[in-house]
Amino acid sequence: MKNKEPLRIRIIRKFYGIAGDYDEYKEKEVNRIGNNAFMGLWWYFLIASFIALFFAFKYPVQTLWVYLGSNILVGLFAVSLYLIIASQKSRLNDVEVETSDLKVVKKKVLRAGVLAGIQFGISMYFLRMLMLYVSGDGNIVSYFHSPKNLIMSILQAIFFGGFIYAIGRFRIKRATK
């Protein structure tokens, strides 16, 4: 019977894109990268909160929107970019493959790209419907039947799936004997 990894380890492996065994080196690097990201975010939130506190009384609505927007930009883009670069530098997400297994791994990467594209396209289609409903700008039924929105979601799915496929292909390294 195969030993199952704990949920925490599976989430870490998925989040950092770690392939292969989760050994002591990879655990040490994940802890280092995660701690650096946390420390940077902690200082950012501390400083941003104090700045927002000063402007909140005179400009409450504008402060809220600037604070939320900057948190999304820093949280999603800056920290994600740091995690990607640090993971690549420490070679956490390289996939070493024997030459005989190269075709099988390429098919797995293609399948992962296609599935990610389908999931992303469906998610964006329904997320746009939800945003339309929340904003009150239009009728959901008309959005659901609009071919323009379906085509946009399909194009987004193709581009996202292709992007995921390209990333997966660049991560494949031939094992040296």
Coordinates of all heavy atoms in Angstrom, one line a residue, residues 41-102:
L41 N 5.9 40.6 3.4 CA 4.4 41.0 3.5 C 4.1 41.6 4.9 O 3.3 42.5 4.9 CB 3.6 39.8 3.3 CG 3.3 39.4 1.8 CD1 2.5 38.1 1.8 CD2 2.5 40.5 1.2
W42 N 4.7 41.1 5.9 CA 4.4 41.7 7.3 C 4.8 43.1 7.3 O 4.0 43.9 7.8 CB 5.2 40.9 8.3 CG 4.8 41.2 9.7 CD1 3.7 40.8 10.4 CD2 5.5 42.2 10.6 NE1 3.7 41.4 11.6 CE2 4.8 42.2 11.8 CE3 6.6 42.9 10.4 CZ2 5.1 43.0 12.8 CZ3 7.0 43.7 11.5 CH2 6.3 43.8 12.7
W43 N 6.0 43.5 6.8 CA 6.4 44.9 6.9 C 5.5 45.7 5.9 O 5.2 46.8 6.2 CB 7.9 45.0 6.5 CG 8.8 44.7 7.6 CD1 9.5 43.6 7.8 CD2 9.0 45.5 8.8 NE1 10.2 43.7 9.0 CE2 9.9 44.9 9.6 CE3 8.5 46.7 9.2 CZ2 10.3 45.4 10.8 CZ3 8.9 47.3 10.4 CH2 9.8 46.6 11.2
Y44 N 5.2 45.2 4.8 CA 4.3 45.9 3.8 C 3.0 46.2 4.5 O 2.5 47.3 4.4 CB 4.1 45.1 2.5 CG 2.9 45.7 1.8 CD1 3.0 46.9 1.1 CD2 1.7 45.0 1.8 CE1 1.9 47.4 0.4 CE2 0.6 45.5 1.1 CZ 0.7 46.7 0.4 OH -0.3 47.2 -0.2
F45 N 2.3 45.2 5.1 CA 1.0 45.4 5.7 C 1.1 46.4 6.9 O 0.2 47.2 7.1 CB 0.4 44.1 6.1 CG -0.2 43.3 5.0 CD1 0.1 42.0 4.7 CD2 -1.2 43.9 4.1 CE1 -0.4 41.3 3.7 CE2 -1.7 43.2 3.1 CZ -1.3 41.9 2.9
L46 N 2.2 46.3 7.6 CA 2.3 47.2 8.8 C 2.4 48.7 8.3 O 1.7 49.5 8.8 CB 3.6 46.9 9.6 CG 3.8 47.7 10.8 CD1 2.8 47.4 11.9 CD2 5.2 47.4 11.3
I47 N 3.2 48.9 7.3 CA 3.4 50.3 6.8 C 2.2 50.8 6.1 O 1.7 51.9 6.3 CB 4.7 50.3 5.9 CG1 5.9 50.1 6.7 CG2 4.7 51.7 5.1 CD1 7.2 49.9 5.9
A48 N 1.6 49.9 5.2 CA 0.4 50.3 4.5 C -0.8 50.6 5.4 O -1.6 51.5 5.2 CB 0.0 49.2 3.5
S49 N -0.9 49.8 6.5 CA -2.0 50.1 7.5 C -1.8 51.4 8.2 O -2.8 52.1 8.4 CB -2.0 48.9 8.5 OG -2.4 47.7 7.9
F50 N -0.6 51.7 8.5 CA -0.4 53.0 9.2 C -0.7 54.2 8.2 O -1.3 55.2 8.6 CB 1.0 53.2 9.7 CG 1.2 52.5 11.1 CD1 2.1 51.5 11.3 CD2 0.4 52.9 12.1 CE1 2.3 51.0 12.5 CE2 0.5 52.3 13.4 CZ 1.5 51.4 13.6
I51 N -0.3 54.0 6.9 CA -0.6 55.1 5.9 C -2.1 55.2 5.7 O -2.6 56.3 5.7 CB 0.2 54.8 4.6 CG1 1.7 54.9 4.8 CG2 -0.3 55.7 3.5 CD1 2.5 54.5 3.6
A52 N -2.8 54.1 5.6 CA -4.2 54.1 5.5 C -4.9 54.7 6.7 O -5.9 55.4 6.5 CB -4.7 52.7 5.2
L53 N -4.4 54.5 7.8 CA -4.9 55.0 9.1 C -4.9 56.6 9.0 O -5.9 57.2 9.5 CB -4.2 54.5 10.3 CG -4.7 54.9 11.6 CD1 -6.1 54.3 11.9 CD2 -3.7 54.5 12.7
F54 N -3.9 57.1 8.5 CA -3.8 58.6 8.5 C -4.7 59.2 7.5 O -5.3 60.3 7.7 CB -2.3 59.0 8.1 CG -1.3 58.8 9.2 CD1 -0.2 58.0 8.9 CD2 -1.5 59.3 10.5 CE1 0.7 57.8 10.0 CE2 -0.6 59.1 11.5 CZ 0.5 58.3 11.2
F55 N -5.0 58.5 6.4 CA -5.9 59.1 5.3 C -7.3 58.6 5.5 O -8.2 59.2 4.8 CB -5.4 58.7 3.9 CG -4.1 59.4 3.5 CD1 -2.9 58.7 3.6 CD2 -4.1 60.7 3.1 CE1 -1.7 59.3 3.2 CE2 -3.0 61.3 2.8 CZ -1.8 60.6 2.8
A56 N -7.6 57.7 6.3 CA -9.0 57.1 6.4 C -10.0 58.1 6.9 O -11.2 58.0 6.6 CB -8.9 55.9 7.3
F57 N -9.7 59.0 7.8 CA -10.7 60.0 8.3 C -11.1 61.0 7.3 O -12.3 61.4 7.3 CB -10.1 60.6 9.6 CG -9.9 59.6 10.7 CD1 -8.7 59.3 11.1 CD2 -11.0 59.1 11.3 CE1 -8.5 58.3 12.1 CE2 -10.9 58.1 12.3 CZ -9.6 57.8 12.8
K58 N -10.1 61.5 6.5 CA -10.5 62.6 5.6 C -11.0 62.0 4.2 O -11.9 62.6 3.6 CB -9.3 63.4 5.3 CG -9.6 64.7 4.6 CD -8.5 65.7 4.6 CE -8.9 67.0 4.0 NZ -7.9 68.0 4.1
Y59 N -10.4 60.9 3.8 CA -10.8 60.3 2.5 C -11.1 58.8 2.7 O -10.3 57.9 2.2 CB -9.7 60.4 1.4 CG -9.2 61.8 1.3 CD1 -7.9 62.2 1.8 CD2 -9.9 62.8 0.6 CE1 -7.4 63.4 1.7 CE2 -9.4 64.1 0.5 CZ -8.2 64.4 1.0 OH -7.7 65.6 0.9
P60 N -12.2 58.4 3.3 CA -12.4 57.0 3.7 C -12.6 56.1 2.4 O -12.0 55.0 2.4 CB -13.7 57.0 4.6 CG -14.3 58.3 4.3 CD -13.3 59.3 3.8
V61 N -13.4 56.5 1.5 CA -13.7 55.6 0.3 C -12.5 55.5 -0.5 O -12.1 54.4 -1.0 CB -14.9 56.2 -0.5 CG1 -15.1 55.4 -1.7 CG2 -16.1 56.2 0.4
Q62 N -11.8 56.6 -0.8 CA -10.6 56.5 -1.7 C -9.5 55.7 -1.0 O -8.8 54.9 -1.6 CB -10.1 57.9 -2.0 CG -11.0 58.7 -2.9 CD -12.0 59.5 -2.1 OE1 -12.2 59.3 -0.9 NE2 -12.8 60.3 -2.8
T63 N -9.4 55.9 0.3 CA -8.4 55.1 1.1 C -8.7 53.6 1.0 O -7.7 52.8 0.8 CB -8.3 55.5 2.6 OG1 -8.1 56.9 2.6 CG2 -7.3 54.8 3.3
L64 N -9.9 53.2 1.1 CA -10.3 51.8 1.0 C -9.9 51.3 -0.3 O -9.3 50.2 -0.4 CB -11.8 51.7 1.3 CG -12.3 50.3 1.0 CD1 -11.8 49.3 2.1 CD2 -13.8 50.3 1.0
W65 N -10.2 51.9 -1.4 CA -10.0 51.4 -2.7 C -8.5 51.3 -3.0 O -8.0 50.4 -3.6 CB -10.7 52.2 -3.8 CG -12.1 51.9 -3.8 CD1 -13.2 52.8 -3.4 CD2 -12.8 50.7 -4.2 NE1 -14.4 52.1 -3.6 CE2 -14.1 50.8 -4.0 CE3 -12.3 49.5 -4.6 CZ2 -15.0 49.8 -4.3 CZ3 -13.2 48.5 -4.9 CH2 -14.5 48.6 -4.7
V66 N -7.7 52.4 -2.6 CA -6.3 52.3 -2.8 C -5.6 51.2 -2.0 O -4.8 50.5 -2.4 CB -5.6 53.7 -2.5 CG1 -4.1 53.6 -2.4 CG2 -6.1 54.8 -3.5
Y67 N -6.1 51.1 -0.7 CA -5.6 50.0 0.2 C -5.8 48.6 -0.4 O -4.9 47.8 -0.5 CB -6.1 50.2 1.6 CG -5.6 49.3 2.6 CD1 -4.3 49.5 3.0 CD2 -6.3 48.3 3.1 CE1 -3.7 48.6 4.0 CE2 -5.8 47.4 4.1 CZ -4.5 47.6 4.5 OH -4.0 46.8 5.5
L68 N -7.1 48.4 -0.8 CA -7.4 47.1 -1.4 C -6.7 46.8 -2.7 O -6.1 45.7 -2.9 CB -8.9 47.0 -1.6 CG -9.8 46.9 -0.4 CD1 -11.3 47.0 -0.8 CD2 -9.5 45.7 0.4
G69 N -6.6 47.8 -3.6 CA -5.9 47.7 -4.8 C -4.4 47.4 -4.6 O -3.8 46.5 -5.3
S70 N -3.8 48.1 -3.7 CA -2.3 47.9 -3.5 C -2.1 46.6 -2.8 O -1.1 45.9 -3.1 CB -1.8 49.1 -2.6 OG -2.3 49.1 -1.4
N71 N -3.0 46.1 -2.0 CA -2.8 44.8 -1.4 C -2.9 43.7 -2.4 O -2.2 42.7 -2.3 CB -3.9 44.6 -0.3 CG -3.6 45.4 1.0 OD1 -2.5 45.9 1.2 ND2 -4.6 45.4 1.9
I72 N -3.9 43.9 -3.3 CA -4.0 42.9 -4.4 C -2.8 42.9 -5.3 O -2.2 41.8 -5.6 CB -5.3 43.1 -5.2 CG1 -6.5 42.8 -4.3 CG2 -5.3 42.3 -6.5 CD1 -7.8 43.1 -5.0
L73 N -2.3 44.0 -5.6 CA -1.1 44.1 -6.5 C 0.1 43.5 -5.8 O 0.8 42.7 -6.4 CB -0.8 45.6 -6.9 CG -1.7 46.2 -7.9 CD1 -1.4 47.6 -8.1 CD2 -1.6 45.4 -9.2
V74 N 0.3 43.9 -4.6 CA 1.5 43.4 -3.8 C 1.4 41.9 -3.6 O 2.3 41.1 -3.8 CB 1.8 44.2 -2.6 CG1 2.8 43.5 -1.7 CG2 2.2 45.6 -2.9
G75 N 0.2 41.5 -3.1 CA 0.0 40.1 -2.7 C 0.0 39.2 -3.9 O 0.6 38.1 -3.8
L76 N -0.7 39.5 -5.0 CA -0.7 38.6 -6.1 C 0.5 38.7 -7.0 O 1.0 37.7 -7.4 CB -2.0 38.9 -7.0 CG -3.3 38.4 -6.4 CD1 -4.4 38.8 -7.3 CD2 -3.3 37.0 -6.2
F77 N 1.0 39.9 -7.3 CA 2.0 40.0 -8.3 C 3.4 40.0 -7.7 O 4.3 39.3 -8.1 CB 1.8 41.3 -9.2 CG 0.5 41.2 -9.9 CD1 -0.6 42.0 -9.7 CD2 0.3 40.2 -10.9 CE1 -1.8 41.9 -10.4 CE2 -0.9 40.1 -11.6 CZ -1.9 40.9 -11.3
A78 N 3.7 40.9 -6.7 CA 5.0 41.0 -6.2 C 5.4 39.7 -5.5 O 6.5 39.2 -5.7 CB 5.1 42.2 -5.3
V79 N 4.6 39.2 -4.6 CA 4.9 38.0 -3.8 C 5.0 36.8 -4.7 O 5.9 36.0 -4.6 CB 4.0 37.8 -2.6 CG1 4.2 36.5 -1.9 CG2 4.1 39.0 -1.7
S80 N 4.0 36.7 -5.6 CA 4.0 35.6 -6.6 C 5.3 35.6 -7.5 O 5.9 34.5 -7.7 CB 2.8 35.6 -7.5 OG 1.6 35.5 -6.7
L81 N 5.7 36.8 -7.9 CA 6.9 36.9 -8.7 C 8.1 36.4 -7.9 O 9.0 35.7 -8.4 CB 7.0 38.3 -9.2 CG 8.2 38.5 -10.2 CD1 8.0 37.7 -11.5 CD2 8.3 40.0 -10.5
Y82 N 8.2 36.9 -6.7 CA 9.3 36.5 -5.8 C 9.3 34.9 -5.6 O 10.3 34.3 -5.7 CB 9.2 37.2 -4.4 CG 10.1 36.5 -3.4 CD1 11.5 36.7 -3.5 CD2 9.7 35.7 -2.4 CE1 12.4 36.1 -2.7 CE2 10.5 35.1 -1.5 CZ 11.9 35.3 -1.7 OH 12.8 34.7 -0.8
L83 N 8.1 34.4 -5.4 CA 8.0 32.9 -5.2 C 8.5 32.1 -6.4 O 9.2 31.1 -6.3 CB 6.6 32.5 -4.8 CG 6.2 32.9 -3.4 CD1 4.7 32.5 -3.2 CD2 7.0 32.3 -2.3
I84 N 8.1 32.6 -7.6 CA 8.5 32.0 -8.8 C 10.0 32.1 -9.0 O 10.6 31.1 -9.3 CB 7.7 32.6 -10.0 CG1 6.2 32.2 -9.9 CG2 8.3 32.1 -11.3 CD1 5.3 32.9 -10.9
I85 N 10.5 33.2 -8.9 CA 12.0 33.4 -9.1 C 12.8 32.7 -8.1 O 13.8 32.0 -8.4 CB 12.3 34.9 -9.1 CG1 11.7 35.6 -10.3 CG2 13.8 35.1 -9.0 CD1 11.8 37.1 -10.3
A86 N 12.4 32.7 -6.8 CA 13.2 32.0 -5.8 C 13.1 30.5 -6.0 O 14.1 29.8 -5.8 CB 12.7 32.4 -4.4
S87 N 11.9 30.0 -6.4 CA 11.8 28.5 -6.6 C 12.6 28.1 -7.8 O 13.2 27.0 -7.8 CB 10.3 28.2 -6.9 OG 9.5 28.4 -5.8
Q88 N 12.7 28.9 -8.8 CA 13.5 28.6 -10.0 C 15.0 28.6 -9.6 O 15.8 27.8 -10.1 CB 13.3 29.5 -11.2 CG 12.0 29.2 -11.8 CD 11.7 30.2 -13.0 OE1 12.3 31.2 -13.1 NE2 10.7 29.9 -13.8
K89 N 15.4 29.6 -8.9 CA 16.9 29.7 -8.5 C 17.3 28.5 -7.6 O 18.4 28.1 -7.7 CB 17.1 31.0 -7.7 CG 17.3 32.2 -8.6 CD 17.7 33.4 -7.8 CE 17.9 34.6 -8.7 NZ 18.2 35.8 -7.9
S90 N 16.4 28.1 -6.7 CA 16.8 26.9 -5.9 C 16.5 25.6 -6.5 O 16.6 24.5 -5.9 CB 16.1 27.1 -4.5 OG 14.7 27.0 -4.7
R91 N 16.0 25.6 -7.8 CA 15.7 24.4 -8.6 C 14.6 23.5 -7.9 O 14.8 22.3 -8.0 CB 16.9 23.7 -8.9 CG 17.9 24.5 -9.7 CD 18.8 23.5 -10.5 NE 19.7 24.3 -11.3 CZ 19.4 24.7 -12.6 NH1 18.3 24.5 -13.1 NH2 20.3 25.3 -13.3
L92 N 13.7 24.1 -7.3 CA 12.6 23.3 -6.6 C 11.7 22.7 -7.6 O 11.1 21.6 -7.4 CB 11.8 24.2 -5.7 CG 12.4 24.6 -4.3 CD1 11.5 25.5 -3.6 CD2 12.8 23.4 -3.6
N93 N 11.4 23.4 -8.7 CA 10.4 22.9 -9.6 C 10.9 22.3 -10.9 O 10.2 22.1 -11.9 CB 9.4 24.0 -9.9 CG 10.0 25.3 -10.3 OD1 11.2 25.3 -10.6 ND2 9.3 26.3 -10.3
D94 N 12.2 21.9 -10.9 CA 12.7 21.2 -12.1 C 12.3 19.7 -12.1 O 12.2 19.1 -11.0 CB 14.3 21.2 -12.1 CG 14.8 22.6 -12.5 OD1 14.0 23.4 -13.0 OD2 16.0 22.8 -12.4
V95 N 11.9 19.2 -13.2 CA 11.5 17.8 -13.4 C 12.6 17.1 -14.2 O 12.7 17.3 -15.4 CB 10.2 17.7 -14.1 CG1 9.7 16.3 -14.2 CG2 9.1 18.6 -13.4
E96 N 13.3 16.2 -13.5 CA 14.4 15.5 -14.2 C 13.8 14.2 -14.7 O 13.2 13.4 -13.9 CB 15.5 15.2 -13.2 CG 16.3 16.4 -12.9 CD 17.6 16.1 -12.1 OE1 18.0 14.9 -12.0 OE2 18.3 17.0 -11.7
V97 N 14.0 14.0 -16.0 CA 13.3 12.8 -16.7 C 14.4 12.1 -17.5 O 15.2 12.7 -18.1 CB 12.2 13.4 -17.6 CG1 11.6 12.2 -18.4 CG2 11.2 14.2 -16.9
E98 N 14.3 10.8 -17.4 CA 15.1 9.9 -18.2 C 14.7 10.1 -19.7 O 13.5 10.4 -19.9 CB 15.0 8.5 -17.8 CG 15.5 8.2 -16.4 CD 17.0 8.4 -16.3 OE1 17.8 8.1 -17.3 OE2 17.5 8.8 -15.2
T99 N 15.5 9.8 -20.6 CA 15.2 10.0 -22.0 C 14.1 9.0 -22.4 O 13.3 9.4 -23.3 CB 16.5 9.7 -22.9 OG1 17.5 10.6 -22.4 CG2 16.2 10.1 -24.3
S100 N 14.1 7.9 -21.8 CA 13.0 6.9 -22.2 C 11.6 7.3 -21.7 O 10.6 6.9 -22.3 CB 13.4 5.5 -21.6 OG 13.5 5.6 -20.2
D101 N 11.6 8.1 -20.7 CA 10.3 8.5 -20.1 C 9.9 9.9 -20.6 O 8.8 10.4 -20.2 CB 10.3 8.6 -18.6 CG 10.6 7.2 -18.0 OD1 10.2 6.2 -18.6 OD2 11.2 7.2 -16.9
L102 N 10.6 10.5 -21.6 CA 10.3 11.9 -22.0 C 9.0 12.0 -22.7 O 8.2 13.0 -22.4 CB 11.4 12.3 -23.0 CG 11.6 13.8 -23.2 CD1 11.8 14.5 -21.9 CD2 12.7 14.1 -24.2

